[in-house]
């Protein structure tokens, strides 16, 4: 039996709100898949954010004047 209401999970990343609406019968499987998806979004936010000092983009901006990146 599919859940009557979707399982909703959300996170803020990359200057916007990501919200997942997951439909299915197995709530624990949906939650696991949704949490994996949110983790991936947050991972890429951390890699690509120009505001995070440890992100790839920040590294490129910091070192591009010294050598090719």
């Amino acid at each position: 039996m599919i859940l009557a209401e979707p399982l909703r999970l959300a996170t803020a990343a990359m200057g916007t709100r990501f919200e997942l609406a997951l439909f299915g019968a197995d709530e624990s499987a949906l939650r696991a898949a949704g949490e994996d998806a949110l983790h991936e979004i947050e991972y890429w936010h951390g890699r690509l954010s120009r505001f995070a000092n440890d992100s790839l983009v920040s590294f490129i901006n910091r070192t591009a004047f010294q050598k090719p990146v």
Side-chain angles (χ1 to χ4, degrees):
M1 175 179 200
I2 295 178
L3 299 173
E5 293 292 321
L7 173 64
R8 294 187 180 274
L9 301 170
T11 190
M14 298 179 231
T16 193
R17 177 179 166 84
F18 288 81
E19 184 173 343
L20 308 175
L22 306 169
F23 294 86
D26 186 348
E27 186 173 352
S28 63
L30 290 174
R31 184 170 298 281
E35 288 176 356
D36 283 347
L38 293 180
H39 175 74
E40 193 71 15
I41 291 165
E42 291 165 355
Y43 169 78
W44 283 106
H45 168 79
R47 296 279 292 158
L48 300 177
S49 173
R50 65 187 173 118
F51 302 107
N53 288 333
D54 60 344
S55 76
L56 178 61
V57 171
S58 290
F59 170 77
I60 291 169
N61 285 337
R62 254 191 334 272
T63 59
F65 76 96
Q66 297 170 336
K67 60 182 179 179
V69 291

